[in-house]
Amino acid sequence: MGELRMSMLVDTFNRAHRDLRVSITDRCNLRCTYCMPPDFSDWLPGDHLLSVDELLLVIEVATEQGIENIRLTGGEPLVRPDVVEIVRRVKALPLAPKVSLTTNALRLTELAQPLADAGLERVNVSLDTLDRERFKTLTFRDRFNDVIAGIEAAQRAGLTPLKVNAVLMRGINDDEAIPLLRHSVANGWNLRFIEQMPLDAQGSWERAEMISAAEILELLSTEFDLVAVPTRGSAPAEEYTVDGGPMTVGIIASVSKPFCAACDRLRLTADGQIRNCLFARDETDVRATLRDPSITEAERRDRIARLFTASVMAKLPGHGINDPSFIQPDRPMSAIGG
């Protein structure tokens, strides 16, 4: 895309926002234990979800305000039947942003090529284990082979660099840190370990049980020569070259070493709420404006722009997880969108 365009979404801490995470559904076809219970059914009402036209209008206004990167999320975005259309129409906008997608990869075998043809540039795949039986235990679905097939389909379709996100859990899969990195290097995956965050639907997260970034780095360093990449910018992951490169591994220390000071991200939930932080307790309702029949289209666009500005100006300096007064958001990750 060349040089960065000037962002009009600058908060009171001088952070310019250029990245919008757009959740297109809260539904998911897995039940990862740190995200939702196996019998979870508290889905958003269908009529609350934004239509394709509504999504496109919000995204278009956001690009006019300086948003340059769109990440489609969920839930699992690939369960939405019109996901390819959404990508195609976002890429057709006058100020077309870069478009990526976070997925569990289950439907990538059939959708990787159509998504690439529509303009999708890369994918992030969530995968916490290389063991089929453990995968079944963690997700309550016997779909490990489908994930691997989906990753391979994404690579064939050119959706690269392909990033694989893994959450290590104490006593559950922390013995796989080294095998995951070894496998990733051998197969051309850009692996990123993410600290487990307080965003589970059960509300059972405990900091003492979280495996910290420092622990992950120490563990990996027993097997690999890791050298920190000096430039990070606003990227959430701290990157390290592995055994001299060119492959790298990233560690996202959202809890133990927050990177809020460089945050350039906003979020749009599937039911049309703007969130200025993943852990925000407050949201800005854009759906009401989208569906207000009493205003003109020009007024609608102007109001959406004002809502984005108001949300950005209300952004706090940090998420406050390390503050004793921190309260977990009411919404789980599946309803916020990563």
Side-chain angles (χ1 to χ4, degrees):
M1 286 181 56
E3 295 184 3
L4 291 174
R5 290 183 284 109
M6 181 178 294
S7 174
M8 290 179 271
L9 299 172
V10 180
D11 67 14
T12 57
F13 301 94
N14 205 35
R15 294 173 295 198
H17 294 73
R18 295 188 172 89
D19 188 305
L20 178 64
R21 309 290 172 93
V22 178
S23 176
I24 59 176
T25 180
D26 65 325
R27 303 275 176 153
C28 189
N29 42 13
L30 294 179
R31 294 292 181 272
C32 298
T33 52
Y34 55 79
C35 186
M36 64 177 72
D39 58 349
F40 184 80
S41 60
D42 190 19
W43 310 114
L44 295 170
D47 61 348
H48 286 203
L49 301 183
L50 299 190
S51 68
V52 178
D53 287 343
E54 290 170 334
L55 284 167
L56 264 292
L57 179 55
V58 176
I59 293 171
E60 183 173 12
V61 171
T63 62
E64 292 169 351
Q65 293 180 283
I67 292 295
E68 298 187 331
N69 302 292
I70 298 293
R71 171 87 64 83
L72 299 180
T73 69
E76 170 47 47
L78 298 189
V79 303
R80 181 154 170 162
D82 48 15
V83 62
V84 174
E85 178 190 355
I86 292 171
V87 172
R88 182 180 298 112
R89 290 184 59 181
V90 171
K91 292 302 294 184
L93 290 173
L95 296 171
K98 292 182 178 179
V99 183
S100 59
L101 182 145
T102 297
T103 176
N104 59 30
L106 293 187
R107 298 197 64 212
L108 278 179
T109 48
E110 59 185 290
L111 290 176
Q113 194 59 58
L115 286 166
D117 293 342
L120 188 71
E121 288 158 90
R122 63 173 187 83
V123 295
N124 285 29
V125 175
S126 302
L127 180 63
D128 302 319
T129 179
L130 296 171
D131 181 85
R132 177 180 172 182
E133 287 303 314
R134 182 174 284 176
F135 181 92
K136 187 162 57 172
T137 299
L138 289 173
T139 67
F140 288 85
R141 302 289 188 273
D142 188 10
R143 303 293 301 276
F144 174 77
N145 292 339
D146 296 325
V147 174
I148 300 302
I151 289 174
E152 292 171 349
Q155 290 177 308
R156 288 194 301 272
L159 297 174
T160 54
L162 187 139
K163 295 183 179 180
V164 172
N165 298 335
V167 176
L168 294 182
M169 293 159 281
R170 199 175 304 280
I172 296 175
N173 69 335
D174 50 339
D175 59 329
E176 289 198 68
I178 289 172
L180 275 165
L181 182 50
R182 187 182 296 121
H183 188 88
S184 296
V185 169
N187 289 275
W189 304 352
N190 284 26
L191 181 65
R192 303 195 306 175
F193 290 102
I194 305 176
E195 290 181 336
Q196 187 177 355
M197 295 178 284
L199 290 168
D200 58 309
Q202 305 95 301
S204 59
W205 180 86
E206 293 184 18
R207 174 157 186 158
E209 292 300 310
M210 181 197 78
I211 299 178
S212 70
E215 291 179 84
I216 296 169
L217 182 60
E218 182 179 5
L219 181 59
L220 296 177
S221 296
T222 64
E223 181 80 12
F224 305 96
D225 179 24
L226 303 180
V227 177
V229 176
T231 55
R232 176 176 177 177
S234 61
E238 189 164 355
E239 298 277 343
Y240 300 85
T241 58
V242 180
D243 293 338
M247 297 300 295
T248 63
V249 62
I251 302 177
I252 299 179
S254 301
V255 178
S256 67
K257 197 176 177 181
F259 39 88
C260 303
C263 181
D264 68 347
R265 286 168 293 285
L266 298 170
R267 285 173 169 80
L268 177 69
T269 66
D271 59 345
Q273 308 299 309
I274 300 170
R275 296 176 65 91
N276 57 27
C277 175
L278 182 59
F279 301 95
R281 302 274 314 162
D282 299 317
E283 300 177 332
T284 302
D285 182 12
V286 73
R287 187 179 74 235
T289 294
L290 286 166
R291 298 181 180 179
D292 185 346
S294 69
I295 58 176
T296 66
E297 285 306 298
E299 290 172 327
R300 198 180 320 279
R301 297 174 72 95
D302 180 66
R303 286 192 190 180
I304 293 170
R306 291 175 182 272
L307 290 172
F308 268 114
T309 300
S311 179
V312 167
M313 295 305 292
K315 188 166 182 171
L316 298 175
H319 53 49
I321 292 178
N322 296 314
D323 190 299
S325 64
F326 174 78
I327 300 175
Q328 182 170 330
D330 294 328
R331 290 185 188 249
M333 184 66 136
S334 59
I336 295 174

